[in-house]
C-alpha cells in the first residue's frame, strides 16, 4: 500500500498522473493515447485501468464502471501460504504489470515497504485497482502475521468477497482459522485457492478435508489437480469437464490450453471428473432449492446434459448465501491456475449491488463512505482510503465526519495503485478511493455529505428501529460501524536521542498511531517516559524501524515487557472522607463503596449504584465519580497494570454544597485505592494459543522445551509427514522463541501464535514476578 514516507517504491518510477478535472472526453482519449508509447521503466506498469491493449474505452467505463462489474476482494491466509505471490501473478495476467515480481527478490508491487522486502512478509495491507475481462477489481493483499491482525480486520470490514489461500501441503493452519473467523464476523462470501500444489507433500484431498473439518465449511470442488507435487502440470475444470494444461516451455504461465476431456485420450481422468461433477451437482442441489428443482425436473436422468452456465449460476448463489465455498487449486509461484482463479472471482464473488448493507436505506442515495485506512505522505499529508457505499466522491467536496463531528474538504481524489496512483475527477458507489486533504479523519470513521444528511439518516434509522421494536442504540451502532481494535499484549519505553527531539517523536508516534490503531502510546505518570504498546515483538520492532527510516529519528527502546492485568479475589468495602478548604470555600465529600470480583470478563469496571444514593446527587456528580473509578482501574496496586473483571458499587455519597467535581473524583479514587489494597489480589497473564509444526525426529526436544516454558499441550495432530503440536503457553515464556525453535529443529519447524485469553498466575510464579519487579531478584 502507499508508503507513508515515500511516494515511490525502490527503483520504481511514477506513472504520469492524469489530471482529468474539467476536461472533455476527446482530450482524455488524446492524453491517454499519448501516454501509451511512454512505458515507464523499472516496475513496468502496463496500462491505466480500463485500457487493455490498444482498446481505448469511454471515460465513464475507465473511471466508474457499473456496480455490477465491480469486485472488492481481499486475499487472506496464514503466513507463507503465498498470498503476495498469488497477488503478483493476478496483477501480471491482468496486464497491470509487465514483469513477474517475486517475494524473495523483493520486487513485488504490494510489498513495497523496505521492512516488507527485507523480511519477505506482508506488514501493511495494499490496495490495487485493475481490470479483468471487463470487470473492475479492487484487490487488497492482507498480512498473514498475527501481529498485524488489525490490518486484516479493517480491510475485511470494507470488502464484498475474499480469496482464502491455503498451502496445499498444510491445509488449514493457525492463522487461517483467525482470518476465517474474521471473515465470518463480517459475513463475507469467499472462495478457496489451494496454492503450492507443486510442493513436496502437497495433497489436494487432505487440504479439502481440513477445510471441511477445521473450518466447518462445505467445500465445493470446482477443480481437480492433474498430478501433485513434482508431477503437477495443470487442473481439470469440473464444471465444464475440460483440462487446462500450462505450456512447460513458457516462463510466465500466460500460455495454457483448454481441452475437453475425451474417453479416448483421458479415460481415467474423465471418469474421475464425471464423478466429481455429479457429486458437485448433488451438493449444490442440496443447498439451493431453485437449482434442485431444475436438476430434478429436466436433468434427473442425465447430469451430463446440465449446461455449465446453470451450474455456475447456482454456485454463485450458494457462495453469496455462504452455505458453501468453491475450491480451486494451482501453484502461483509456478504460474499455474491463476487465470481460472480470476475467472472464478468475477463469476462467483458478489458485486457491491449483491451485498445487503442495511444502513444504506437510511441514506437514500446520499454519500456514505467508511474510512478504513490512513497513511501519511511527506508531500501530501494524510492519505485516507475509503470504501464508498452510496453517493459519489469528488475533489474539492466538503464532507462531514460523523465520529469526529467535523467537516473537512477533500482536495484530491486518486485511484489506489499500491504505491502509485492516478488522479480522477469522481468515483461512484461500490469503489475504493484514496483521498487527499482530510486532516482529522481516522480509521473507522463514517463520512457523509453533510451534518443534515447524517441527522436525516439517523431519524430514518430510528423510525425503522421503532417499527421493528429495536432500541435506537442498535441503529446508531450500525450507522457508525467501525473497526474493532484488539488490546496490545507487549509494551516498552521509547526515548528520543535528546529532549529536543521529543516533539518530533511525539509527531511520528501520532502519525503512526493514526495509521495503525492497534499501536497504543501512553505517558507513564511516575517516570514521565513515553510507553509504546503493541501486538507483538515484530510489531514493535517494525514501528521502531519505521520511526528511524521514515522520520529520521534514532530512538532507544527499553526492554520489552508483557502487558499483565490485575484483578481481586474477594469483596471489600471502604469509606473515605475528603475535607479541604480552598480560599473561602469548603469542599467536603464522604464516600462508601464496595469492590467485588465478577465472573464475566470485562476490561472496564462495571459501575453500580445502591438505591440509597440520591438521584439528584448522582445526576450532578456521576461523571466525576466514574472518572475517579476509571483512573484508579488503569493502574492496579500490584504491578501498576490495568484492573479487570471487577464491579464497583457506590453505597453512600454525601457532598457539601459547593464542592467541586475534581474533589469528588479525588475522594472516590482514594476510597477505591483503599478498598483494592485491602482485597486479595491476583495477577492475570496473557495466554497464547501456540501451534508448532515439526518433523517426527524433532518432536521430543520441542515438547521438552515447551514443558519448561509452562506450556499446556492440548493435542498432537498428524499433518502429512509432520506433527502439529497445539497448546497454550504464557506470553512471558515465549519471548524469543523463534530463535530457540530454529536451534532445536535445525530450522525445520514453524510456529504460529495467537492471544487466547488472560489467565490467573499460580502463587509461586506471581511471587517470583513481583520479586523481579521490586528488584529483589
Amino acid at each position: 500500500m502507499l508508503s507513508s514516507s515515500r511516494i515511490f517504491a525502490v527503483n520504481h518510477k511514477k506513472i504520469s498522473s492524469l489530471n482529468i478535472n474539467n476536461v472533455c472526453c476527446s482530450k482524455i482519449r488524446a492524453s491517454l493515447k499519448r501516454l501509451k508509447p511512454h512505458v515507464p521503466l523499472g516496475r513496468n506498469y502496463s496500462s491505466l485501468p480500463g485500457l487493455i491493449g490498444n482498446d481505448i474505452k469511454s471515460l465513464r467505463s475507465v473511471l466508474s464502471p457499473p456496480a455490477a462489474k465491480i469486485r472488492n476482494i481481499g486475499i487472506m491466509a496464514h503466513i507463507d501460504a503465498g498470498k503476495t505471490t498469488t497477488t503478483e501473478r493476478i496483477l501480471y495476467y491482468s496486464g497491470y504489470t509487465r514483469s513477474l515480481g517475486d517475494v524473495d527478490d523483493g520486487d513485488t508491487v504490494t510489498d513495497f515497504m523496505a521492512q516488507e522486502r527485507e523480511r519477505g512478509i506482508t506488514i501493511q495491507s495494499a490496495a490495487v485497482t485493475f481490470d479483468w475481462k471487463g470487470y473492475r477489481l479492487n484487490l487488497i493483499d492482507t498480512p498473514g502475521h498475527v501481529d498485524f491482525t488489525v490490518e486484516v480486520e479493517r480491510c475485511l470490514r470494507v470488502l464484498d468477497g475474499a480469496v482464502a489461500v491455503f498451502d496445499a501441503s498444510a491445509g488449514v493452519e493457525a492463522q487461517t482459522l483467525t482470518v476465517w473467523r474474521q471473515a465470518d464476523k463480517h459475513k463475507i462470501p469467499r472462495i478457496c485457492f489451494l496454492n503450492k500444489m507443486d510442493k513436496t507433500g502437497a495433497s489436494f484431498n487432505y487440504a479439502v478435508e481440513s477445510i471441511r473439518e477445521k473450518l466447518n465449511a462445505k467445500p465445493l470442488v470446482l477443480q481437480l489437480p492433474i498430478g501433485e507435487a513434482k508431477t503437477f502440470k495443470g487442473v481439470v475444470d469440473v464444471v465444464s469437464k475440460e483440462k487446462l494444461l500450462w505450456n512447460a516451455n513458457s516462463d510466465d504461465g500466460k500460455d495454457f490450453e483448454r481441452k475437453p476431456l475425451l474417453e479416448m485420450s483421458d479415460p481415467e481422468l474423465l471418469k474421475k471428473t464425471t464423478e466429481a461433477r455429479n457429486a458437485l451437482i448433488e451438493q449444490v442441489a442440496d443447498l439451493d432449492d431453485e437449482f434442485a428443482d431444475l436438476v430434478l425436473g429436466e436433468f434427473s436422468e442425465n447430469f451430463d446434459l446440465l449446461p455449465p452456465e446453470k451450474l455456475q449460476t447456482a454456485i454463485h448463489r450458494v457462495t453469496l448465501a455462504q452455505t458453501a465455498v468453491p475450491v480451486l487449486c494451482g501453484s502461483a509461484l509456478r504460474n499455474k491456475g491463476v487465470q481460472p482463479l480470476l475467472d472464478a472471482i468475477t463469476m462467483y464473488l458478489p458485486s457491491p449491488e449483491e451485498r445487503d448493507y442495511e444502513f444504506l436505506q437510511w441514506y437514500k442515495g446520499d454519500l456514505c463512505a467508511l474510512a478504513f485506512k490512513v497513511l501519511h505522505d511527506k508531500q501530501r499529508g494524510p492519505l485516507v482510503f475509503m470504501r464508498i457505499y452510496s453517493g459519489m466522491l469528488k475533489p474539492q467536496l466538503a464532507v462531514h465526519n460523523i465520529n469526529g463531528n467535523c467537516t473537512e474538504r477533500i482536495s484530491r481524489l486518486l485511484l489506489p495503485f499500491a504505491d502509485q496512483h492516478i488522479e480522477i475527477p469522481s468515483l461512484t458507489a461500490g469503489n475504493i478511493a484514496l483521498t487527499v486533504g482530510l486532516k482529522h479523519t481516522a480509521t473507522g470513521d463514517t463520512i457523509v455529505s453533510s451534518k443534515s444528511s447524517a441527522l436525516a439518516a439517523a431519524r430514518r434509522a430510528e423510525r425503522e428501529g421503532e417499527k421493528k421494536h429495536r432500541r435506537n442504540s442498535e441503529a446508531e451502532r450500525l450507522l457508525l460501524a467501525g473497526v474493532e481494535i484488539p488490546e496490545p499484549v507487549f509494551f516498552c519505553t521509547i526515548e528520543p536521542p535528546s529532549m529536543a527531539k521529543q516533539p518530533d517523536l511525539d509527531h511520528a508516534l501520532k502519525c503512526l498511531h493514526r495509521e495503525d490503531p492497534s499501536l497504543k502510546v501512553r505517558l507513564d505518570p511516575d517516570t514521565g517516559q513515553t510507553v509504546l504498546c503493541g501486538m507483538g515483538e515484530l510489531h514493535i520492532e517494525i514501528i521502531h524501524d519505521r520511526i528511524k527510516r521514515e522520520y529520521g529519528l534514532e530512538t532507544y527502546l527499553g526492554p520489552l515487557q508483557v502487558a499483565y492485568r490485575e484483578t481481586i479475589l474477594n469483596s471489600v468495602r471502604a469509606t473515605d472522607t475528603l475535607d479541604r478548604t480552598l480560599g473561602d470555600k469548603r469542599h467536603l465529600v464522604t464516600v462508601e463503596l464496595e469492590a467485588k470480583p465478577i465472573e464475566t470478563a470485562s476490561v472496564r469496571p462495571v459501575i453500580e449504584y445502591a438505591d440509597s444514593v440520591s438521584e439528584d446527587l448522582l445526576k450532578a456528580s456521576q461523571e466525576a465519580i466514574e472518572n475517579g473509578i476509571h483512573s484508579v482501574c488503569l493502574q492496579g496496586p500490584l504491578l501498576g497494570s490495568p484492573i479487570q473483571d471487577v464491579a464497583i458499587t457506590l453505597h453512600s455519597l454525601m457532598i457539601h454544597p459547593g464542592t467541586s467535581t475534581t474533589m469528588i473524583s479525588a475522594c472516590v479514587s482514594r476510597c477505591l485505592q483503599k478498598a483494592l489494597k485491602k482485597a486479595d489480589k491476583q495477577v492475570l497473564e496473557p495466554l497464547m494459543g501456540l501451534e508448532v509444526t515439526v518433523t517426527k525426529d524433532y518432536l521430543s526436544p520441542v515438547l521438552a522445551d515447551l514443558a519448561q516454558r509452562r506450556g499446556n499441550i492440548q493435542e498432537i495432530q498428524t499433518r502429512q509427514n509432520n506433527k502439529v503440536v497445539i497448546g497454550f503457553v504464557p506470553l512471558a515464556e515465549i519471548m524469543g522463541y523463534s530463535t530457540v525453535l530454529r536451534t532445536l529443529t535445525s530450522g525445520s519447524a514453524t510456529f504460529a501464535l495467537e492471544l487466547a485469553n488472560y489467565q490467573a498466575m499460580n502463587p509461586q510464579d506471581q511471587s517470583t514476578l513481583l520479586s523481579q519487579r521490586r528488584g529483589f531478584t
Side-chain angles (χ1 to χ4, degrees):
M1 194 174 281
L2 291 161
S3 168
S4 59
S5 67
R6 316 175 298 291
I7 310 171
F8 314 122
V10 183
N11 296 328
H12 290 186
K13 290 195 177 180
K14 189 180 180 187
I15 300 179
S16 304
S17 69
L18 185 61
N19 187 354
I20 39 188
N21 286 321
N22 308 316
V23 183
C24 67
C25 284
S26 60
K27 285 186 179 178
I28 290 295
R29 292 194 182 96
S31 62
L32 289 174
K33 283 177 179 173
R34 282 199 302 275
L35 274 174
K36 289 205 68 62
H38 303 289
V39 177
L41 301 172
R43 161 50 54 198
N44 287 338
Y45 289 86
S46 67
S47 61
L48 297 172
L51 304 182
I52 299 171
N54 296 317
D55 180 24
I56 304 294
K57 295 188 176 182
S58 72
L59 174 64
R60 183 175 294 278
S61 67
V62 169
L63 299 179
S64 290
K69 293 285 185 182
I70 297 172
R71 297 289 183 272
N72 293 311
I73 59 157
I75 307 282
M76 59 181 206
H78 182 88
I79 194 166
D80 279 345
K83 296 179 301 301
T84 301
T85 305
T86 303
T87 304
E88 201 61 32
R89 300 306 181 261
I90 284 173
L91 299 182
Y92 180 69
Y93 298 131
S94 66
Y96 178 76
T97 58
R98 289 202 174 187
S99 61
L100 283 169
D102 196 298
V103 173
D104 295 334
D105 296 339
D107 62 349
T108 60
V109 173
T110 52
D111 283 358
F112 57 82
M113 285 172 67
Q115 294 89 342
E116 294 177 314
R117 293 187 163 175
E118 286 167 6
R119 291 168 173 81
I121 61 169
T122 302
I123 293 167
Q124 287 191 336
S125 46
V128 189
T129 300
F130 61 91
D131 283 5
W132 175 257
K133 296 185 178 178
Y135 287 85
R136 166 64 49 82
L137 272 72
N138 295 312
L139 181 145
I140 295 181
D141 174 27
T142 61
H145 199 286
V146 70
D147 283 17
F148 309 107
T149 189
V150 76
E151 281 286 331
V152 184
E153 175 76 24
R154 64 177 166 190
C155 292
L156 289 177
R157 171 72 187 79
V158 297
L159 296 175
D160 298 320
V163 178
V165 179
F166 298 79
D167 180 335
S169 66
V172 174
E173 297 174 87
Q175 191 65 8
T176 318
L177 284 162
T178 305
V179 294
W180 196 268
R181 281 197 299 269
Q182 287 174 309
D184 279 339
K185 184 169 76 178
H186 294 295
K187 298 184 171 62
I188 292 174
R190 64 217 84 149
I191 55 181
C192 300
F193 180 61
L194 305 184
N195 192 23
K196 304 191 179 184
M197 283 303 305
D198 61 316
K199 186 178 172 182
T200 304
S203 168
F204 180 80
N205 291 335
Y206 169 77
V208 171
E209 276 309 306
S210 74
I211 291 171
R212 181 178 285 116
E213 289 172 15
K214 294 183 182 176
L215 300 177
N216 293 323
K218 292 180 179 172
L220 301 176
V221 176
L222 305 190
Q223 290 179 347
L224 295 173
I226 300 175
E228 284 179 352
K230 288 181 180 177
T231 61
F232 177 71
K233 58 182 178 179
V235 299
V236 173
D237 186 331
V238 172
V239 176
S240 63
K241 289 169 73 169
E242 294 173 316
K243 63 178 178 180
L244 283 67
L245 296 173
W246 274 260
N247 186 345
N249 300 319
S250 170
D251 291 335
D252 63 3
K254 272 194 173 178
D255 301 329
F256 69 97
E257 52 183 348
R258 188 183 277 268
K259 291 180 178 176
L261 288 171
L262 301 171
E263 183 73 51
M264 291 173 65
S265 53
D266 305 289
E268 281 298 313
L269 202 53
L270 179 62
K271 183 186 175 188
K272 194 176 173 184
T273 307
T274 304
E275 287 171 1
R277 190 175 191 265
N278 292 346
L280 175 65
I281 290 169
E282 287 172 9
Q283 248 185 308
V284 176
D286 283 342
L287 300 168
D288 186 87
D289 293 340
E290 188 182 331
F291 184 68
D293 293 341
L294 180 74
V295 171
L296 293 170
E298 295 179 52
F299 307 104
S300 56
E301 298 300 318
N302 189 353
F303 285 171
D304 289 344
L305 300 175
L306 180 74
E309 298 77 26
K310 299 279 188 189
L311 180 52
Q312 285 163 351
T313 306
I315 293 168
H316 176 73
R317 286 197 301 269
V318 165
T319 307
L320 255 61
Q322 293 162 63
T323 48
V325 285
V327 176
L328 298 96
C329 62
S331 169
L333 188 64
R334 298 284 174 260
N335 313 317
K336 294 180 174 72
V338 178
Q339 296 98 323
L341 173 63
L342 272 166
D343 291 335
I345 287 168
T346 58
M347 202 179 297
Y348 302 124
L349 290 179
S351 69
E353 289 179 332
E354 291 173 304
R355 293 278 279 148
D356 181 28
Y357 297 107
E358 188 181 1
F359 57 86
L360 286 187
Q361 62 186 326
W362 305 329
Y363 286 97
K364 302 289 184 188
D366 275 356
L367 173 67
C368 174
L370 185 84
F372 68 93
K373 188 169 174 64
V374 180
L375 289 173
H376 284 81
D377 184 282
K378 282 192 174 175
Q379 273 72 28
R380 284 170 288 196
L383 304 167
V384 181
F385 281 83
M386 282 194 200
R387 163 67 195 269
I388 310 170
Y389 287 101
S390 68
M392 183 185 282
L393 275 184
K394 291 181 178 178
Q396 305 307 318
L397 181 71
V399 293
H400 180 70
N401 180 333
I402 296 181
N403 302 57
N405 194 22
C406 60
T407 299
E408 299 189 83
R409 188 173 294 279
I410 294 170
S411 58
R412 295 168 68 198
L413 194 62
L414 308 166
L415 265 185
F417 276 63
D419 61 339
Q420 303 187 12
H421 33 273
I422 290 173
E423 196 164 331
I424 51 173
S426 66
L427 210 56
T428 53
N431 281 289
I432 288 174
L434 181 57
T435 61
V436 182
L438 300 178
K439 299 282 188 280
H440 305 292
T441 301
T443 296
D445 285 358
T446 305
I447 303 297
V448 295
S449 53
S450 64
K451 194 168 187 175
S452 58
S453 165
L455 291 170
R459 280 196 297 271
R460 291 186 197 110
E462 194 173 347
R463 285 198 296 271
E464 190 68 27
E466 285 169 4
K467 277 184 200 171
K468 296 184 178 179
H469 307 292
R470 291 184 309 192
R471 295 204 321 276
N472 188 37
S473 60
E474 187 174 345
E476 284 176 6
R477 187 176 61 79
L478 280 166
L479 197 68
L480 307 174
V483 179
E484 286 182 25
I485 309 299
E487 286 295 312
V489 292
F490 274 116
F491 69 93
C492 65
T493 55
I494 182 166
E495 293 179 3
S498 66
M499 285 310 293
K501 295 285 186 183
Q502 185 67 45
D504 295 339
L505 176 61
D506 292 341
H507 171 70
L509 290 174
K510 186 181 175 185
C511 291
L512 289 167
H513 170 65
R514 198 169 157 201
E515 286 184 28
D516 179 2
S518 64
L519 172 73
K520 301 282 171 70
V521 182
R522 61 181 172 85
L523 202 65
D524 190 301
D526 298 327
T527 62
Q529 290 175 299
T530 304
V531 179
L532 205 59
C533 310
M535 300 304 299
E537 290 176 87
L538 181 62
H539 187 202
I540 287 177
E541 184 189 327
I542 295 292
I543 293 296
H544 184 225
D545 195 30
R546 287 187 66 188
I547 290 170
K548 179 182 173 182
R549 293 193 198 214
E550 297 172 19
Y551 297 92
L553 285 172
E554 284 280 359
T555 53
Y556 305 106
L557 290 184
L560 210 56
Q561 299 187 49
V562 174
Y564 291 101
R565 302 269 175 83
E566 298 177 27
T567 192
I568 57 173
L569 301 174
N570 59 331
S571 179
V572 282
R573 275 197 186 212
T575 307
D576 195 66
T577 301
L578 187 146
D579 189 356
R580 293 270 171 86
T581 303
L582 299 175
D584 59 349
K585 192 178 277 189
R586 188 185 184 197
H587 301 270
L588 176 62
V589 191
T590 301
V591 173
E592 184 187 356
L593 53 74
E594 179 186 16
K596 59 184 177 186
I598 53 173
E599 289 185 9
T600 52
S602 172
V603 178
R604 293 173 69 84
V606 177
I607 301 172
E608 299 163 344
Y609 300 95
D611 296 336
S612 56
V613 179
S614 161
E615 281 193 25
D616 294 334
L617 268 183
L618 206 53
K619 273 182 188 172
S621 56
Q622 185 170 354
E623 189 178 342
I625 292 165
E626 293 185 359
N627 285 343
I629 291 171
H630 287 305
S631 65
V632 171
C633 289
L634 288 174
Q635 285 195 300
L638 283 175
L639 296 169
S641 301
I643 294 172
Q644 70 173 43
D645 307 341
V646 294
I648 312 297
T649 307
L650 187 72
H651 285 288
S652 76
L653 176 68
M654 286 184 286
I655 302 173
H656 188 272
T659 301
S660 73
T661 54
T662 309
M663 292 297 178
I664 297 168
S665 280
C667 185
V668 170
S669 295
R670 205 164 69 178
C671 186
L672 181 54
Q673 281 171 342
K674 268 188 190 178
L676 294 175
K677 280 178 183 172
K678 283 198 278 182
D680 295 332
K681 294 168 283 291
Q682 173 74 61
V683 175
L684 304 175
E685 64 178 342
L687 191 68
M688 306 300 284
L690 175 72
E691 186 177 289
V692 184
T693 306
V694 60
T695 56
K696 291 175 187 174
D697 305 343
Y698 295 109
L699 180 61
S700 294
V702 167
L703 291 175
D705 179 65
L706 287 174
Q708 288 182 337
R709 294 173 184 271
R710 296 192 283 136
N712 178 10
I713 308 303
Q714 300 293 301
E715 60 176 320
I716 299 172
Q717 297 177 350
T718 301
R719 181 186 290 164
Q720 307 292 77
N721 300 322
N722 294 326
K723 294 292 182 182
V724 181
V725 180
I726 296 170
F728 298 103
V729 184
L731 178 60
E733 302 289 347
I734 212 77
M735 289 165 77
Y737 183 61
S738 55
T739 308
V740 174
L741 188 65
R742 272 200 300 272
T743 308
L744 280 176
T745 63
S746 304
S748 64
T750 59
F751 76 101
L753 282 173
E754 184 184 12
L755 179 64
N757 55 27
Y758 272 81
Q759 74 162 13
M761 291 184 84
N762 67 49
Q764 187 182 348
D765 293 327
Q766 181 170 315
S767 174
T768 306
L769 175 66
L770 293 174
S771 299
Q772 284 174 349
R773 287 293 178 92
R774 289 165 187 159
F776 295 140
T777 58

